[in-house]
């Protein structure tokens, strides 16, 4: 989502995939810069505070929850980011969800205690500070435990867990197949990129893979139902072997952001493209 002219103060808003915003310097471009002057915006009637950062916190997610489940749970809302929370390398059943507009927070809160699968999910109002703190914790978790922050929720107190100890179902981290064991995943020649700057185009991706022989027609930048970039893209390589070799670019930077790569499939590519039609 593009947010023009919002401040970077305590109540300001920023955009872009989660972990890249931990950089000390924000990404360049008119959509990411701080509002000039005061953190308050001026209108003919005086100064008014900028909109509240639109984020909610979820608790009680199923142990095998994935981003797709959260998107379906908040069907009809513009979900910008989903950040699953881990502790000691284990899923916690908590997540943060950043929405497209402040007004959508109230709609998201209306989903409080509604079911996701067999479990009801609690939805709370959250803050930019709490969300950013969670990002920092997830970065630290991934370094210590190798946690994959892109998927996997977890059971939470009293709903399917073992009182006073860990549920056996939570001993093994459950994530989406595309996120689990990248090095052993089957390559089909199609790669999914996650974490792109919203301003990135095909030329930027071609430059990112400049050591590989790919054409502009083989690059697909995905958009949402409103035609806005999602931060994801797909690249079709000439062969599965070349796709596997391209994994050396996993977590390399494009501009000021690092890009995550995942082996993908024709079905996932077609599904992603159909959402933007």
């Amino acid at each position: 989502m593009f947010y023009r002219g919002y401040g970077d103060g305590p109540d300001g808003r920023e955009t872009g995939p989660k972990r890249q915003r931990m950089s000390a310097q924000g990404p360049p471009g008119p959509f990411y810069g701080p509002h000039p002057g005061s953190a308050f915006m001026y209108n003919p009637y005086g100064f008014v505070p900028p909109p509240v950062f639109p984020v909610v916190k979820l608790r009680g997610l199923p142990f095998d929850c994935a981003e797709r489940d959260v998107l379906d749970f908040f069907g009809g809302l513009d979900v910008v980011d989903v950040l699953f929370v881990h502790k000691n390398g284990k899923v916690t059943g908590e997540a943060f969800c950043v929405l497209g507009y402040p007004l959508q927070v109230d709609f998201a809160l209306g989903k409080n205690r509604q079911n996701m699968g067999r479990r009801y999910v609690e939805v709370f109002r959250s803050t930019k500070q709490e969300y950013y703190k969670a990002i920092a914790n997830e970065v630290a978790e991934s370094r210590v435990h190798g946690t994959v922050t892109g998927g996997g929720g977890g059971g939470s107190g009293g709903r399917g867990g073992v009182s006073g100890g860990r549920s056996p179902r939570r001993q093994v981290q459950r994530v989406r197949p595309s996120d689990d064991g990248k090095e052993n995943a089957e390559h089909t020649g199609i790669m999914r990129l996650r974490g792109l700057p919203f301003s990135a185009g095909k030329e930027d991706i071609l430059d990112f893979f400049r050591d590989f022989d790919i054409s502009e027609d083989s690059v697909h930048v995905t958009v949402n139902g409103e035609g806005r970039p999602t931060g994801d893209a797909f690249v079709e390589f000439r062969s599965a072997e070349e796709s596997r070799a391209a994994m050396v670019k996993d977590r390399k930077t494009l501009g000021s952001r690092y890009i995550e790569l995942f082996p993908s499939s024709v079905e996932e590519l077609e599904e992603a493209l159909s959402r933007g039609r």
Side-chain angles (χ1 to χ4, degrees):
M1 300 300 231
F2 294 122
Y3 303 107
R4 182 185 293 275
Y6 285 91
D8 195 25
D11 293 321
R13 299 175 62 193
E14 298 175 354
T15 64
K18 45 189 173 285
R19 290 167 292 278
Q20 289 80 17
R21 292 195 295 276
M22 298 309 297
S23 168
Q25 293 183 346
F31 301 110
Y32 297 93
H35 189 275
S38 170
F40 290 81
M41 295 184 292
Y42 179 77
N43 67 24
Y45 303 100
F47 288 92
V48 295
V52 174
F53 187 75
V55 60
V56 294
K57 185 176 182 179
L58 293 80
R59 187 169 65 191
L61 295 168
F63 78 101
D64 56 354
C65 178
E67 273 186 25
R68 183 73 256 170
D69 301 307
V70 177
L71 295 176
D72 292 341
F73 183 71
F74 287 127
L77 301 182
D78 298 301
V79 177
V80 175
D81 186 26
V82 178
L83 175 71
F84 292 99
V85 178
H86 300 78
K87 186 174 183 180
N88 298 325
K90 304 294 182 181
V91 294
T92 65
E94 296 184 353
F96 290 85
C97 183
V98 181
L99 302 167
Y101 307 96
L103 290 177
Q104 293 188 341
V105 170
D106 290 332
F107 289 98
L109 294 174
K111 300 286 290 184
N112 184 40
R113 294 184 175 272
Q114 293 193 22
N115 278 23
M116 181 185 292
R118 295 183 178 181
R119 303 190 180 195
Y120 70 82
V121 176
E122 297 175 280
V123 183
F124 305 92
R125 194 180 300 274
S126 188
T127 64
K128 171 183 172 181
Q129 290 83 356
E130 188 177 13
Y131 167 66
Y132 271 38
K133 183 178 179 180
I135 295 174
N137 290 339
E138 287 300 293
V139 172
E141 279 280 318
S142 66
R143 290 173 179 169
V144 175
H145 300 286
T147 302
V148 178
T149 59
S156 88
R159 292 203 297 276
V162 177
S163 178
R166 291 177 180 168
S167 165
R169 301 174 72 186
R170 295 177 58 189
Q171 297 297 319
V172 179
Q173 176 144 341
R174 296 292 299 272
V175 297
R176 291 175 296 171
S178 59
D179 289 357
D180 191 11
K182 292 183 187 180
E183 66 280 2
N184 297 320
E186 179 182 358
H187 284 263
T188 66
I190 299 177
M191 187 82 72
R192 178 167 66 93
L193 289 70
R194 185 169 69 186
L196 291 167
F198 289 152
S199 59
K202 290 189 176 184
E203 288 298 327
D204 301 298
I205 297 172
L206 288 171
D207 184 61
F208 184 72
F209 288 116
R210 57 183 173 274
D211 296 329
F212 299 88
D213 185 16
I214 58 175
S215 66
E216 184 174 342
D217 291 339
S218 66
V219 177
H220 310 275
V221 180
T222 60
V223 296
N224 60 21
E226 297 179 350
R228 298 182 179 180
T230 63
D232 284 12
F234 290 80
V235 174
E236 297 179 80
F237 289 87
R238 293 185 302 173
S239 65
E241 290 71 23
E242 190 166 353
S243 170
R244 185 177 291 106
M247 287 298 294
V248 298
K249 300 292 289 184
D250 186 33
R251 295 180 182 270
K252 301 297 183 182
T253 57
L254 193 162
S256 60
R257 304 184 179 188
Y258 73 79
I259 307 302
E260 293 180 279
L261 305 181
F262 304 91
S264 187
S265 64
V266 174
E267 292 76 18
E268 188 178 17
L269 168 60
E270 291 180 345
E271 180 185 357
L273 293 178
S274 67
R275 289 197 294 268
R277 290 172 185 161

